[in-house]
Amino acid sequence: MPMIPLYIRCTDLAARETRSIHVLPGTVGPLPVGEYAFLEMYCDEPDCDCRRVLIRVSTPPKCETTLATINFGWESQEFYTRWMHGDAKAGRDIVSACLDPLNPQSDLADALLDIFRNVLMRNPEYVARLARHYRAFKEAPAMRVLPPPEEVPVFDTVQDILAQLGKPLQKEKASFAAYIPYRVALQAAVAKREEITPALIAAIDRVCEQLSNDPKGAGNPLHVFALYLLAQFREQRALGAFLRYFTLRDDYAMDLGGGAVNDDAAALLACVCGGDPAPAFRLILNPALSDALRSRAIDCLLMQANWGDRPRASVIEDLRWFFSVLPKPGSACVWASVVGAIQDFNAPELALEARQAFDEELVDERIQSREEFDAWINEQDDLYAEEFSIFNQPIDA
């Protein structure tokens, strides 16, 4: 998801309330003397309520070089664990603040993270300010800096489109105008769907082969654009490539795809399954895969029903089946995802099975607590299902 600097939408607010730290002469520590600005960036997706900030630390006045990129959220660990589809480690990282692995860092990043944790995070007024800035950013009108029409590129061939989508973008130096060629190339790809589809599948297969030999072998972002385009196309021929990509060892798929692929893994898979639950079953029942991927595969089943690809009753039976086939104790995170899916699917008819799982201490209650589940059953609240449906729509590249 795009993270946009606060000063783009709320210029005056950012000018008044961006926090800086000054390291004075004689200060003992790894940071050179000088000023360090903690520049805030927030999510630009109108339907996303992630409630977090990405802090880019740089040195005024030009702030050209990124010294650290810090990911932080002010809500509870349970909130972010749920937002990260049951990934408890990611939830802990966000509330405790962490260096974002997908954005630039420097040799000073660890020291700057320590300052953020030990100075800024401990100031409740500063944390409240971040939450207030988040709300102000979301309420402010979006701004786009577009190039003149004569400067908008034209992509006439598949080769031209692939070349543009394969160009790395230096996000820390990019203006809004720098994103325009990618948008135009995506539109051109949609117009040439049949012609470009084999090349997009090949791009995913190619990066899988590269990463099998070299963890740093993915040299450009083409495979990420390919995932999203093929998902938008609902291209079932791409299913094999998607499964190879998402089951790469050591979570390379999540790391190289960035936060967007991580967040959208369930929707990406659901788009190319054609309503077939078997691929999701293969992922869910494979203990060698990460808990995060297995949990997203559970969400994939829910999306199949929500999008009309499968009957609701079939997915209810899928969830019921997991209570008899998943290993006990098995993965507490996966068990939490199954129970959470009952809420997200508004399926109180499975309450007996879920409570039995709690009784057997199979569920990681840091992710899905019994207290929360019982409250949902007692209130018969369909808010979870409404939120799941809103935030898990078919992919639009």
Side-chain angles (χ1 to χ4, degrees):
M1 59 188 69
M3 302 293 280
I4 306 300
L6 177 66
Y7 62 77
I8 293 293
R9 286 196 185 177
C10 307
T11 305
D12 293 340
L13 181 64
R16 291 194 311 269
E17 299 191 356
T18 293
R19 185 68 185 269
S20 291
I21 294 290
H22 294 263
V23 177
L24 302 177
T27 302
V28 177
L31 293 177
V33 172
E35 179 182 359
Y36 298 86
F38 288 70
L39 307 171
E40 302 163 31
M41 297 186 288
Y42 297 99
C43 169
D44 193 35
E45 290 289 341
D47 294 331
C48 179
D49 188 24
C50 57
R51 305 183 202 179
R52 67 187 182 103
V53 62
L54 211 60
I55 301 284
R56 186 173 78 87
V57 187
S58 192
T59 52
K62 293 186 177 181
C63 293
E64 292 180 336
T65 302
T66 299
L67 301 177
T69 311
I70 300 168
N71 189 8
F72 173 66
W74 48 88
E75 300 288 351
S76 68
Q77 178 181 323
E78 290 75 17
F79 175 89
Y80 296 107
T81 297
R82 188 168 186 83
W83 180 70
M84 292 297 293
H85 306 280
D87 190 335
K89 179 181 182 302
R92 290 193 298 272
D93 287 345
I94 292 173
V95 297
S96 62
C98 62
L99 296 176
D100 190 271
L102 304 174
N103 282 285
Q105 310 292 349
S106 75
D107 293 340
L108 301 177
D110 288 328
L112 290 164
L113 177 62
D114 286 342
I115 286 180
F116 184 84
R117 285 174 169 170
N118 297 321
V119 178
L120 300 185
M121 267 179 60
R122 293 191 177 186
N123 183 343
E125 293 182 1
Y126 175 73
V127 175
R129 177 191 295 181
L130 294 177
R132 176 164 50 82
H133 288 180
Y134 173 82
R135 292 192 296 271
F137 179 91
K138 287 291 190 178
E139 292 168 1
M143 296 176 63
R144 293 291 183 267
V145 181
L146 302 178
E150 63 272 14
E151 295 181 15
V152 174
V154 176
F155 301 102
D156 293 321
T157 68
V158 166
Q159 290 70 26
D160 292 339
I161 297 169
L162 297 174
Q164 174 59 47
L165 297 181
K167 289 181 180 178
L169 178 68
Q170 291 183 299
K171 296 180 181 179
E172 68 275 15
K173 296 182 179 180
S175 66
F176 280 119
Y179 289 90
I180 299 303
Y182 295 90
R183 181 182 182 88
V184 176
L186 287 170
Q187 292 170 333
V190 172
K192 295 181 179 292
R193 170 178 174 171
E194 291 303 321
E195 187 179 355
I196 202 171
T197 288
L200 296 174
I201 296 173
I204 300 172
D205 282 334
R206 187 163 55 248
V207 81
C208 290
E209 183 178 355
Q210 291 169 342
L211 291 172
S212 297
N213 301 314
D214 176 11
K216 299 180 180 179
N220 66 58
L222 177 58
H223 65 284
V224 178
F225 288 111
L227 289 167
Y228 279 82
L229 283 166
L230 292 165
Q232 178 175 334
F233 298 164
R234 297 292 193 100
E235 182 52 72
Q236 296 180 45
R237 290 176 293 175
L239 175 59
F242 274 51
L243 292 175
R244 284 188 289 276
Y245 179 75
F246 280 109
T247 56
L248 286 168
R249 63 188 179 92
D250 297 335
D251 279 345
Y252 290 157
M254 301 300 191
D255 293 341
L256 287 164
V261 169
N262 198 338
D263 294 341
D264 292 336
L268 289 165
L269 288 169
C271 282
V272 297
C273 283
D276 182 1
F281 291 161
R282 287 166 53 191
L283 301 180
I284 297 164
L285 300 177
N286 186 347
L289 300 177
S290 71
D291 289 342
L293 178 59
R294 296 172 71 192
S295 296
R296 283 159 177 75
I298 294 170
D299 289 342
C300 172
L301 297 173
L302 274 57
M303 292 177 201
Q304 288 179 332
N306 286 349
W307 299 349
D309 293 340
R310 295 182 67 207
R312 173 182 170 83
S314 297
V315 177
I316 293 287
E317 291 309 307
D318 294 343
L319 296 175
R320 193 188 307 277
W321 178 62
F322 289 138
F323 287 96
S324 63
V325 298
L326 284 174
K328 298 180 180 181
S331 166
C333 177
V334 173
W335 277 108
S337 296
V338 173
V339 174
I342 293 173
Q343 290 183 203
D344 291 335
F345 206 48
N346 197 26
E349 57 264 57
L350 297 176
L352 181 64
E353 288 86 347
R355 284 172 169 157
Q356 180 65 32
F358 281 117
D359 289 342
E360 296 179 23
E361 299 184 347
L362 302 174
V363 180
D364 186 339
E365 293 204 39
R366 295 170 299 176
I367 301 172
Q368 176 67 59
S369 71
R370 181 163 196 158
E371 181 181 4
E372 178 187 2
F373 184 83
D374 286 342
W376 167 72
I377 288 293
N378 293 334
E379 295 171 8
Q380 289 294 294
D381 187 357
D382 62 356
L383 178 62
Y384 292 99
E386 290 179 2
E387 288 187 347
F388 185 89
S389 179
I390 290 171
F391 294 123
N392 293 282
Q393 297 293 319
I395 293 294
D396 181 342

